[in-house]
Each structure stands twice: as structure tokens, then as C-alpha cells.
């Protein structure tokens, strides 16, 4: 009789132990699913926050998720906020923002995103480790903004969005007026890892920057006096493209090892100085031009109406600006600064910083935040 009791006790203990193990595993799985933290495969790009907030307007969760990657530096944080807000308000698609920043900006960004006006946004904050750029970037005071680490985040898309097959990258100095789904649905040709807006398109034709060469051809970005560049047999008058907004096929990007190719040309430039001395645009453009030479698709030019920041004057008609799907203030004159064109269009989407750390600079007013 006592032997049977012992067996029953052992059986009960075994069942309890099994249930405890099962419960522990379930909690671990739930935590993993809730945070969606994936092994990045490289030290330095670590997801540190994920907020699956309920959307303000109806979104069909059965829709394909649209990953939008945007870099957010401390001194330009208001730009990223305005861009994100404009995208969210002009779509009913299932968008998730991958906001790439540095550790010291994460708390500021998070508090801003918790504003009532932004609570419907689903996002993941990803820390960018500057060690990734060691030996790949040469300090150049003349480059200014384009030398900042987060400028290079676009090179690491498959690591930033490890589970996605397709993603959109855009700079922080943009406003989206169309439905982001249309841009996401841009068809890419077989074998193409990305689609860009070419600089010879109808929206932004042949802009010449005084003293900086042609901003619409390869010769404005690469030093064709260098033998390594000449050996590539790329025509100097080939139309360049703008890397501030593009759609990426991440499956193809990974298959072609695009990130490794870009890093290769970054290192070679540090060693040999391959970029044009009168670089027409961002320092991220030359390696992209090399890697994607005659191997990229194109996006609708209305999805990157640019050069709004190249001067303080108004380049386009009000009707054209209104019709644009995406407005891009690339150049020195940013819409959160003292002098820029079409600031009223940008301010429509700006949400004041609840911490007061970031404030707009305006020439004729003492008001620091637009309410």
C-alpha cells in the first residue's frame, strides 16, 4: 500500500514539474513575440524598443507589414518626427517604423513618440554602433552633416530589418503627402536590390551646384582621374540617383552581399580617395552609385521631389508642391532652420517636443515651437 502511495506522489510531482517547465517556456516565447527582438547577426545594431500601439484609424492587420527605416539624430530629431507623422496620417496600411539612432538619443525620442499626437505609431528603436564605421570613413570637416554616423545606416538595411523581404528607407528631411503603400509597391526588376529616383527625372532636372560640379551625373561624385574608378568602365555622364529615398528588395540585397560591397568601397576611398573632391551630394552616394551602376530600378519621381533645401527660394509652383507625393529638403536649408522654402508645408506635420530640447529656429519670431 505504501509502495502505491509513493508511486502516486512521484507521478504527481512529475506532472507538477512538467507544468512548471511548460509555463516557463510559454513565458519565454511570449516575451520573444512581444518584443520581436531578432539576432541581428552583427554587433552594434541592437533593437532596444518596440511599441505595438493601437492605430488611430482602422488598419487591417492581415495586410503586409511595411517597414520604413529612418535615421534620427539628436540635432535633427524634429525632422524625423515630422516625417513619421506625415507618413502615418496619409495611409491606412500596416506601417512599422524602424528608427535608427544613437544610445544617448533613445530616451528623448521615446518621450517624444509618447505624445498624444503620435501614440498610434508602431515603431522599433534601433541603436547604431559607430564602431561599424571604423576604417571605413575618413574625417572631412568640409562634409559636415553627411559625415555623421547615422548617415550610413541605409547601408545596413537587412540587419536593421532582419525578417523583412522588402523595406523603404528615407531621410529625415522629408514630408510624405501620398500613401506610402504606393511607394512600397514600386516594382523592382529581377536581380535589382533597390529602386531610386534618378537625378535626370522630370521633377528635378539637371541641378548644378556652383563650385560642386554636376549633381546629376557620376562625374559629380567620383574621381575619374583615379585608375580604380576608370577600370570600372562606368560612363562619367551616367545619370546619378538620389539615395535619400529608396525601396529595397532585401532578399536580393542579401543575395548580392550589397552591404559588404558598400563597405569595400568605403574602405578603398579611405585608402585611395576615390570620391570627387567637389562632391556634389552626400558622402553615402558614391559607393551606392558604384554598386548599383546599371543595376537598379526607378521610383516614380513624384516620390522624391527634391532640392527644396538647396536654396531659400521657392523652386516649384504651389500646385506642383501640393501634387508631390514626397517632398525632400536635401541641401543646407532645412525646414526646421531659420531659412528654408515651403516651411509652412513642413510645419503642418511637425509635433512640438514635449521636453523642450528641440526647437524650431525662425528668423522673424521668438516662438520656438509651432503649436
Amino acid at each position: 500500500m505504501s509502495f502505491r502511495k509513493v508511486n502516486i506522489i512521484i507521478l504527481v510531482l512529475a506532472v507538477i514539474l512538467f507544468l512548471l517547465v511548460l509555463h516557463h517556456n510559454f513565458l519565454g516565447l511570449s516575451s520573444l513575440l512581444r518584443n520581436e527582438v531578432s539576432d541581428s547577426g552583427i554587433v552594434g545594431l541592437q533593437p532596444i524598443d518596440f511599441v505595438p500601439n493601437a492605430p488611430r484609424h482602422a488598419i487591417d492587420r492581415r495586410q503586409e507589414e511595411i517597414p520604413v527605416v529612418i535615421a534620427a539624430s539628436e540635432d535633427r530629431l524634429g525632422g524625423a518626427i515630422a516625417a513619421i507623422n506625415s507618413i502615418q496620417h496619409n495611409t491606412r496600411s500596416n506601417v512599422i517604423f524602424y528608427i535608427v539612432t544613437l544610445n544617448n538619443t533613445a530616451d528623448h525620442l521615446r518621450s517624444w513618440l509618447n505624445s498624444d499626437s503620435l501614440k498610434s505609431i508602431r515603431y522599433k528603436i534601433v541603436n547604431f554602433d559607430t564602431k561599424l564605421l571604423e576604417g571605413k570613413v575618413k574625417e572631412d570637416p568640409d562634409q559636415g552633416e553627411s559625415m555623421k554616423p547615422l548617415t550610413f545606416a541605409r547601408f545596413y538595411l537587412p540587419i536593421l530589418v532582419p525578417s523583412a523581404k522588402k523595406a523603404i528607407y528615407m531621410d529625415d528631411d522629408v514630408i510624405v503627402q501620398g500613401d506610402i503603400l504606393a511607394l512600397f509597391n514600386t516594382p523592382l526588376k529581377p536581380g535589382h536590390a533597390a529602386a531610386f529616383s534618378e537625378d535626370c527625372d522630370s521633377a528635378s532636372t539637371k541641378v548644378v551646384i556652383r563650385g560642386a560640379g554636376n549633381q546629376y551625373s557620376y562625374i559629380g561624385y567620383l574621381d575619374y582621374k583615379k585608375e580604380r574608378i576608370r577600370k570600372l568602365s562606368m560612363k562619367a555622364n551616367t545619370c546619378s540617383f538620389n539615395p535619400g529615398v529608396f525601396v529595397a528588395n532585401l532578399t536580393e540585397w542579401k543575395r548580392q552581399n550589397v552591404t559588404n560591397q558598400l563597405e569595400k568601397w568605403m574602405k578603398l576611398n579611405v585608402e585611395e580617395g576615390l570620391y570627387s573632391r567637389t562632391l556634389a551630394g552626400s558622402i553615402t552616394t558614391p559607393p551606392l552609385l558604384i554598386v548599383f551602376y546599371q543595376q537598379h530600378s526607378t521610383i516614380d519621381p513624384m516620390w522624391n521631389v527634391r532640392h527644396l533645401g538647396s536654396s531659400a527660394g521657392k523652386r516649384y509652383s504651389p500646385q506642383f508642391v501640393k501634387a508631390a507625393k514626397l517632398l525632400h529638403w536635401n541641401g543646407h536649408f532645412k525646414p526646421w532652420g531659420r531659412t528654408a522654402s515651403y516651411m509652412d508645408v513642413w510645419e503642418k506635420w511637425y509635433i512640438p517636443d514635449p521636453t523642450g530640447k528641440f526647437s524650431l529656429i525662425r528668423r522673424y519670431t521668438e516662438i520656438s515651437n509651432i503649436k
Side-chain angles (χ1 to χ4, degrees), residues 31 40 62 92 134 196 213 244 267 308 319 334 363:
S31 176
S40 66
R62 293 171 296 180
R92 291 184 178 274
E134 289 180 357
F196 302 90
K267 291 176 183 176
L308 274 69
Q319 294 80 7
K334 300 304 181 185
R363 176 178 289 179

Side-chain angles (χ1 to χ4, degrees), residues 181-251:
L181 178 62
L183 179 60
F184 186 71
N185 286 336
T186 298
L188 274 71
K189 295 178 181 178
H192 287 184
F196 302 90
S197 176
E198 296 194 343
D199 290 323
C200 305
D201 62 37
S202 59
S204 309
T205 55
K206 300 184 178 181
V207 176
V208 178
I209 303 300
R210 183 176 299 175
N214 295 322
Q215 198 177 4
Y216 61 91
S217 63
Y218 270 46
I219 199 170
Y221 295 89
L222 298 166
D223 188 350
Y224 274 79
K225 295 179 181 178
K226 297 297 173 68
E227 183 181 2
R228 190 178 293 277
I229 295 298
R230 292 200 307 271
K231 281 184 176 181
L232 294 173
S233 299
M234 301 184 301
K235 293 182 179 180
N237 64 350
T238 300
C239 184
S240 56
F241 54 77
N242 182 276
V245 179
F246 64 90
V247 181
N249 178 337
L250 298 182
T251 302

